[in-house]
Amino acid sequence: MTPTSTISQAKQALGNDLYLLGHHYQNDAVLDHVDLRGDSLELARRIPDLAARYIVFCGVFFMAESAAILATEGQEVHTPRADAMCVMAEMAPSVLAERVMQRFLDHGRKIIPLTYVNSSAAIKAMCGRLGGSVCTSANAATMLKWAMSRGDGVLFLPDKNLAQNTADSLGLPRTSRHILDIRKDGEAFSLEATDKTDLIMWPGCCAVHFRFRTSQIKAMRTHYPDCRVLVHPECSPEVVKASDGAGSTSYLIRECQEAPEGSTLVIGTEINLVARLAAQHAPGKTIVPLSVSSCANMAKTTQDNLAALLHRIQAGDAPDPVQVAPEIAEPAKLALERMLEVCA
Ligand code: 13P
Ligand code: SF4
């Protein structure tokens, strides 16, 4: 049997007991089978309303973990490749972040931790426990304003680029921001240096969006003088400033849909999404990647390993579902629910 027929057969046999979700950075062969494709926010929003017994998440591990946290009793969340880790999420180990937060607490400053959804459940749990929350690239400005209104300052983690770009969009002065030095087990930075700042940023970034350069934008503008350059806010602030617009995955998709026929759009984000947009809108609109940058972890999910997983579920031999220990799941859920409430 081909992977496609295995997947179709499993979907038919399991019916409403199965629901497949996929992030836009997945490849077409996988996304063709999912019930819902979306960006991080759209997918997280749908989890609490799903009734299926088996939720299969095609994306990276933190997404499946968030789904497991938001799923209801009796539901199982599975992912074809549990080793598909987001490089950025890995840059914020929870033990280190807890140590840094403890230093702020001991210092007497009420710092609210706000984590990008691209982070481990343990980081989200820390945010839940310490009065903070979660954000995605689609709601980062709303959530940063929310967090800033609740304490003396905000620790934004793990993405310093999303933090800087969001702060720029809110007009927060550069002088009130500080990129943390997390060396020496979180002891390297001076608390005094962060005292007068409103936004403290963890020094993480995305390996895929880090690669885009202002020189590439310049070259594209030379080649396509009438183009619009649109990028994801995980790109550096320099790249965002040199572009014509920046926003989440859903923003980039919307901009391509709404652009008039005949326009040329240069898109700086993961290549699977850009290639799909280019194919969808050809020949009326020209859509080209700023450069080809691919997420190796997103690419770990294939039609073959999706078929293998669904075959096992159908045969009653499902692997262990994604599990989050209750002492982590409970405060992490609180953090996620705060975001879903604030952005309802
Ligand atoms: P969004 O889906 O929130 O735009 O995030 C992009 C991303 O990097 C997902 O890993
Ligand atoms: Fe993580 Fe970047 Fe890959 Fe998204 S694209 S999963 S942020 S490494």
Side-chain angles (χ1 to χ4, degrees), residues 14 23 57 125 141 161 193 199 201 228 233 316:
L14 290 159
H23 190 271
F57 209 118
N161 286 339
L199 177 61
M201 295 167 280
R228 283 181 74 218

Side-chain angles (χ1 to χ4, degrees), residues 23 25 39-40 62-63 116 118 136-137 232 234 248-249 298:
H23 190 271
Y25 293 174
D39 70 6
S40 304
F62 76 79
M63 295 178 176
Y116 190 22
N118 298 32
T136 73
S137 57
H232 194 279
E234 288 173 14
S248 67
T249 299
M298 284 282 183

